[in-house]
Amino acid sequence: MTEQEAYVKKMEAEKQQLDARLAAVEAEADIRKAEADIQELSGAKRRAENFRRKLEEIRRRGTEDFESGKVELRRAYEDVDKAVAGMETKVEVLRAGYERKREAELESLGAQFAGWEASRDRTRAEDSLLTREEFVFLRRSLQNTQAVLKDLMKSKGKEWPRLKKEYEAAWNDLCERSEKIRADTVKAEQPAGEQPSPQT
């Protein structure tokens, strides 16, 4: 194998790694579809395409043009590597913000559950069996949603969007169930003939 062939092979491996990183960033970039983010991702993809073209050129070049081709290829590689690294950093920041917000929401909802349970304990005895079953089920739903969020926070690349959808479905289901119990709790606490105020 000539020096040129060995170099091309090495840079092809580098290209595969860059392509994998770019695909992971693209998969996670749905966190926020702001115009600036889309433009930045498009710029990284253009640089990656330029690197691919330079690699094809150096593969076809004669040995006399090899050294100048190496310089161009290395410059193109560094350009795309820097662009992808910038996007990776940005996506990590956005992910961390999303995940922190979801953690805070779950903690807040868990605290509300504790209050609702205490409130339900003061209601009529004939409601208690159903109430306990409702809250056991709701607590289980909360724990399941927390587990999905933990998986989401450990995931990378293309797994992240899939787990994000799974988390949001679990969260929406949990919110629907908790809203029903909250409405039932408010209704049970109303004096006879008094209607709860409409939600604002």
Side-chain angles (χ1 to χ4, degrees):
M1 184 182 293
T2 66
E3 180 191 353
Q4 183 171 347
E5 288 169 341
Y7 186 78
V8 166
K9 189 171 182 180
K10 174 180 176 293
M11 295 311 286
E12 281 174 340
E14 296 279 11
K15 178 186 175 297
Q16 287 175 357
Q17 289 182 350
L18 284 173
D19 287 346
R21 286 169 59 199
L22 192 54
V25 167
E26 191 170 11
E28 294 180 42
D30 74 332
I31 301 166
R32 187 186 68 189
K33 296 203 181 307
E35 192 64 30
D37 292 343
I38 293 169
Q39 288 176 357
E40 195 169 339
L41 183 58
S42 297
K45 290 172 83 171
R46 280 196 304 274
R47 288 176 174 86
E49 177 57 24
N50 181 53
F51 176 63
R52 187 196 64 76
R53 282 197 307 271
K54 295 288 184 189
L55 186 56
E56 286 299 319
E57 286 173 15
I58 199 171
R59 188 182 287 114
R60 292 192 302 264
R61 281 185 182 205
T63 53
E64 67 280 357
D65 296 327
F66 174 57
E67 287 304 321
S68 62
K70 269 176 69 174
V71 172
E72 291 175 24
L73 186 61
R74 175 51 59 180
R75 192 177 297 126
Y77 168 78
E78 289 170 356
D79 197 27
V80 67
D81 182 54
K82 184 178 178 181
V84 173
M87 284 301 297
E88 286 171 334
T89 300
K90 188 167 198 174
V91 165
E92 281 297 319
V93 169
L94 292 171
R95 271 187 53 159
Y98 176 90
E99 290 162 359
R100 278 195 305 272
K101 185 176 180 182
R102 301 292 84 86
E103 273 189 306
E105 286 173 345
L106 284 173
E107 285 174 12
S108 174
L109 194 56
Q112 286 181 48
F113 290 172
W116 297 343
E117 285 177 302
S119 176
R120 277 291 191 173
D121 288 344
R122 296 191 298 268
T123 62
R124 296 180 312 223
E126 59 264 30
D127 292 334
S128 63
L129 180 60
L130 178 60
T131 298
R132 278 197 299 272
E133 289 172 354
E134 284 176 338
F135 276 107
V136 165
F137 192 72
L138 199 54
R139 283 285 180 193
R140 197 175 298 129
S141 293
L142 177 64
Q143 289 165 356
N144 176 59
T145 306
Q146 288 169 329
V148 176
L149 182 60
K150 283 182 183 176
D151 288 342
L152 176 71
M153 293 169 77
K154 290 186 275 187
S155 68
K156 294 287 183 185
K158 294 181 181 179
E159 279 294 291
W160 199 89
R162 181 185 66 77
L163 286 168
K164 180 178 173 233
K165 282 184 183 176
E166 189 177 323
Y167 169 79
E168 289 178 351
W171 167 254
N172 290 335
D173 182 61
L174 182 60
C175 287
E176 285 175 18
R177 294 179 192 283
S178 63
E179 281 301 315
K180 180 183 182 303
I181 289 180
R182 177 161 62 173
D184 290 347
T185 302
V186 169
K187 186 176 176 183
E189 290 183 335
Q190 293 293 324
E194 185 178 333
Q195 294 298 319
S197 301
Q199 295 286 326
T200 54

